[in-house]
Amino acid sequence: MRGPLASVTLLVLLSGSTAGVGAFADAGHRVVGLIAEHHLRGARAVSEIRKILGRGETLADAAVWPDVIKAPGYEDDDSELFRLEHPAHDVYHYANLPFQATRYDPSLPGARPGDIVQTARECVRVLRGASTMFTEREALRLLVHLVGDLHQPLHVGTAFVAANGQPSFVIPQGRTGWRVTRGGNNLVYGPQDRFNLHSYWDAHAVNLAMRREEPSAYASRLIRDVRVEQGWNASGDADSWPEQWANDALPHAKTIHRGIGITAYLGPDEAGRTPHRWRIQQPAGYDDLARTLIPAQLAKAGYRLAAVLKAIWPEG
């Protein structure tokens, strides 16, 4: 993807200005926004997006806002009212479905009215004028971010561990007998158990794939090297696409957990904020899995983000 798109951030379709490059934790979201901008070139959606986003704001900028506002000290012209009206906004980013599930189902443990699928769907409705749950600006910034999150498989599927006996991954049955790992946040590894499986896929895996490239250069490489596949296209109305994308992510969530060994039950953390933790060991070649999966997921997310924005604002 390098050649014609090496200056994708400089051209930034929506603004003509560049955004600061953050840590690898937000780099993946910026890459998704940059790829979407490429696929939106010449589309009517571009002018509609310009009306909603702030002056000089790009989709790459919008993509990181829903994470940035989790910091209590962060303030801008939108964050305070949004946090007041949506005090549980941090739970919009995921669904804790069992990774063994074959499809999203609202009746599954971990699915709920405010999960990532339902929130992304509501954002589509707001931008179409069919809902007032968010402002248009909130809905667009959330949607840009959540489409990226839907392609990080641990934002959709999670492991449940048996509450009794030898710790092992189980399919939750009934109301007790299992404990949720919260998208891998409770599965820890490394020196002093400082790292967890969720942050591995949010940040470290992206770092491995990007090889220290900045988001603009990496987005260019993905556009060049990762071919768009027919299976990336959703069917039916865009209202149903977040659910279809969640269904697409679940097999990857299963792959991510394959070969993971639970070596010890650790109990709560020192601060008492996490009641249950398990030490894990990753299988051989796990980093190679990340290097293969992450590029495809980021490229797919950028393509799909552009597709849903085109569906919200069709041509003509």
Side-chain angles (χ1 to χ4, degrees):
M1 281 188 191
R2 242 174 223 157
L5 238 83
S7 60
V8 67
T9 309
L10 296 176
L11 296 176
V12 203
L13 183 64
L14 301 176
S15 74
S17 70
T18 60
V21 176
F24 278 112
D26 69 23
H29 283 291
R30 290 189 178 277
V31 168
V32 170
L34 290 163
I35 293 173
E37 289 169 354
H38 167 76
H39 290 297
L40 282 168
R41 287 179 172 176
R44 173 200 164 199
V46 173
S47 61
E48 299 298 331
I49 292 166
R50 283 200 188 111
K51 296 174 187 176
I52 296 172
L53 293 183
R55 183 178 179 83
E57 186 178 15
T58 71
L59 288 183
D61 299 329
V64 300
W65 181 78
D67 273 348
V68 171
I69 62 171
K70 293 178 184 178
Y74 176 81
E75 294 183 5
D76 62 17
D77 292 339
D78 306 290
S79 59
E80 284 306 304
L81 185 57
F82 177 78
R83 287 188 290 214
L84 182 65
E85 295 180 343
H86 301 275
H89 63 90
D90 57 323
V91 305
Y92 293 163
H93 297 238
Y94 60 87
N96 279 323
L97 307 178
F99 72 75
Q100 300 92 339
T102 58
R103 58 184 295 274
Y104 176 87
D105 187 326
S107 67
L108 285 172
R112 60 192 192 286
D115 67 26
I116 188 170
V117 170
Q118 301 304 327
T119 303
R121 176 178 289 162
E122 203 64 30
C123 290
V124 172
R125 293 172 177 169
V126 169
L127 294 171
R128 283 177 156 178
S131 171
T132 58
M133 181 173 175
F134 307 111
T135 67
E136 284 189 332
R137 181 166 163 75
E138 291 167 352
L140 180 56
R141 292 165 110 184
L142 280 170
L143 183 61
V144 173
H145 182 88
L146 296 180
V147 172
D149 278 349
L150 278 163
H151 291 78
Q152 201 281 56
L154 294 185
H155 279 258
V156 177
T158 190
F160 290 77
V161 178
N164 303 299
Q166 183 70 24
S168 60
F169 296 144
V170 297
I171 300 175
Q173 303 287 343
R175 304 183 66 85
T176 60
W178 46 263
R179 291 167 178 153
V180 66
T181 66
R182 300 188 309 121
N185 277 290
N186 298 3
L187 299 176
V188 300
Y189 66 95
Q192 291 81 52
D193 303 311
R194 288 183 300 171
F195 307 108
N196 66 71
L197 192 64
H198 189 94
S199 64
Y200 177 97
W201 286 98
D202 262 358
H204 184 61
V206 177
N207 191 352
L208 289 172
M210 290 183 67
R211 299 181 300 201
R212 299 188 181 276
E213 286 185 287
E214 292 189 356
S216 58
Y218 187 61
S220 298
R221 180 153 61 91
L222 291 184
I223 295 168
R224 184 195 67 199
D225 293 346
V226 181
R227 185 180 62 182
V228 174
E229 299 181 10
Q230 182 62 34
W232 294 6
N233 295 304
S235 60
D237 189 82
D239 186 81
S240 69
W241 292 1
E243 181 174 337
Q244 294 180 49
W245 298 336
N247 293 341
D248 184 67
L250 280 168
H252 297 306
K254 184 181 297 184
T255 299
I256 283 171
H257 287 90
R258 186 175 298 135
I260 294 285
I262 302 176
T263 62
Y265 173 66
L266 302 177
D269 62 355
E270 292 183 1
R273 295 174 181 170
T274 302
H276 304 289
R277 296 174 305 142
W278 297 265
R279 183 179 295 133
I280 62 169
Q281 183 174 355
Q282 297 164 337
Y286 203 71
D287 285 352
D288 293 333
L289 171 64
R291 293 186 183 98
T292 300
L293 183 58
I294 287 295
Q297 291 301 101
L298 292 178
K300 188 188 302 182
Y303 176 83
R304 286 174 167 173
L305 174 58
V308 74
L309 294 173
K310 290 177 184 178
I312 291 168
W313 295 294
E315 302 301 319

